[in-house]
Amino acid sequence: MNVKEYIPLIIDAARDAGIKILEVYNSDDFGVEIKKDDSPLTIADKKANDAIVEKLKQTDFPILSEEGAKIPYSERKDWEYFWMVDPLDGTKEFVKQNGEFTVNIALIHKNAPILGVVYAPVLDKLYFGGKEIGAFMDENMDPQHKLELIKNETGNIRIVASRSHLNDETKKYIEQFDNAETVSMGSSLKFMLIADSEADIYPRFAPTMEWDTAAAHAILKGLNLEVINMEDEKPLRYNKENLLNPNFLVKR
C-alpha cells in the first residue's frame, strides 16, 4: 500500500477540524474550567471529530477516536489498518487559551503507527510524516520543508516537561542530569520539540492514551526515532485491549 497517497487527506481533515475548533475557541461566550456536557471544550471536541470522520470515511479503514473509544476490543482486535484520532489534544491548554493544543490523526498498521499528522490550529503549525516518508513541518502555509535532526551544541541536555503534568517521577528523572534544562510545551507539541531539534529527551511518567501519542509517534518514525515503553524498552504498541499507554521515553 502506498501510504503517501493519504497525506493530503489527513492534512485536509486536520485543517477542517482546526477550523471547527477555532470557531469555538474564538467565540464570544468561551469560558470553561472543567470538561462537562455542552461546555465549549466538549462542543469543540465533537465538531472537530465530526469534521475528521467526514474526511476519513472516504477510506475503507475503521476509525478509533477519543470520541468513539467504546468500540469493543473483540471488534477492533483484528483490524489490520485503522485511523486513530484525537480531535483535540491538550484540554488544559485549550481552557487556558494558550494555543498549545493539537489535532492528532494517525494511520495504524498491525499495532504500529505508519503515518501521522499533528496540527496546532492557533499556531498554524502542521507536522506530518511516517517511517518511509520522513518528517515535515508546514508552518503558516509556507512550502513544506523536511525536518532533520540538528546536533545540540548548547552543552545542556534539554528535557521536555509538561506544563500541566510535572510530577515527582519526572522531577527525579531530570535530577539525574547535571546539565539539564527543561523545555515546556502542551499536548503533542511536546514530541514536536524533539522533531524540531529543540529538545533531546521526553520522559513521560503521567497517564496518556494511545490517541495522545500515535500521530506524533508516526512523525518521529520519519526521523528514525521511537517512543519507547519504559517497561519493556520496546516501541509503544497500539490497539491494545486497554488503550492506556505505559510510561514512555523519547530520546534523540
Side-chain angles (χ1 to χ4, degrees):
M1 184 180 74
N2 181 11
V3 175
K4 288 184 180 180
E5 69 181 81
Y6 295 105
I7 291 173
L9 178 72
I10 63 171
I11 288 176
D12 284 350
R15 288 198 177 277
D16 284 355
I19 290 168
K20 296 300 183 184
I21 290 169
L22 291 179
E23 286 174 0
V24 178
Y25 187 75
N26 296 324
S27 63
D28 293 337
D29 60 352
F30 182 94
V32 58
E33 295 181 358
I34 57 173
K35 188 172 182 177
K36 52 189 176 182
D37 289 346
D38 297 324
S39 72
L41 180 59
T42 304
I43 295 167
D45 268 311
K46 187 174 188 311
K47 286 187 172 184
N49 191 73
D50 290 348
I52 293 167
V53 169
E54 185 65 26
K55 276 286 193 295
L56 297 186
K57 71 182 184 183
Q58 297 175 31
T59 71
D60 295 328
F61 307 138
I63 301 168
L64 180 62
S65 86
E66 182 177 11
E67 289 292 301
K70 294 180 181 178
I71 298 171
Y73 182 64
S74 59
E75 180 180 334
R76 58 181 171 82
K77 66 182 177 64
D78 296 321
W79 290 351
E80 183 179 5
Y81 289 92
F82 72 95
W83 297 108
M84 178 161 271
V85 174
D86 189 346
L88 203 169
D89 178 34
T91 301
K92 293 186 178 179
E93 280 61 47
F94 185 88
V95 171
K96 292 174 185 174
Q97 289 188 284
N98 66 13
E100 295 177 6
F101 54 85
T102 59
V103 177
N104 301 339
I105 304 171
L107 181 61
I108 310 294
H109 178 228
K110 294 183 176 177
N111 307 107
I114 59 172
L115 178 65
V117 61
V118 169
Y119 176 47
V122 172
L123 307 177
D124 197 25
K125 273 192 170 185
L126 188 146
Y127 298 84
F128 67 91
K131 186 173 183 180
E132 305 298 328
I133 298 163
F136 299 82
M137 194 278 285
D138 175 5
E139 182 177 11
N140 295 327
M141 301 304 292
D142 288 340
Q144 298 163 3
H145 67 270
K146 191 169 186 179
L147 296 171
E148 303 284 354
L149 294 177
I150 300 168
K151 185 178 179 181
N152 176 8
E153 297 181 344
T154 68
N156 293 327
I157 302 294
R158 300 164 302 178
I159 302 175
V160 181
S162 171
R163 286 203 196 286
S164 306
H165 303 283
L166 187 59
N167 56 22
D168 289 339
E169 285 178 290
T170 308
K171 291 176 185 174
K172 187 175 180 181
Y173 181 89
I174 293 170
E175 286 168 359
Q176 70 180 295
F177 299 94
D178 294 331
N179 57 338
E181 65 173 280
T182 58
V183 188
S184 294
M185 186 62 71
S187 71
S188 293
L189 292 171
K190 288 189 284 294
F191 293 98
M192 298 302 98
L193 289 172
I194 302 276
D196 277 328
S197 298
E198 294 178 8
D200 306 298
I201 303 174
Y202 174 23
R204 182 72 180 203
F205 296 96
T208 59
M209 302 300 291
E210 290 186 11
W211 46 76
D212 294 321
T213 60
H217 192 166
I219 295 166
L220 291 175
K221 281 175 173 282
L223 293 164
N224 295 313
L225 297 175
E226 288 282 3
V227 182
I228 299 297
N229 179 343
M230 287 191 190
E231 295 172 2
D232 62 12
E233 297 186 351
K234 295 179 180 179
L236 290 189
R237 290 175 60 80
Y238 295 84
N239 203 22
K240 305 185 303 297
E241 184 169 4
N242 182 350
L243 295 166
L244 185 70
N245 284 325
N247 293 341
F248 62 76
L249 181 70
V250 183
K251 197 172 184 180
R252 290 183 10 141

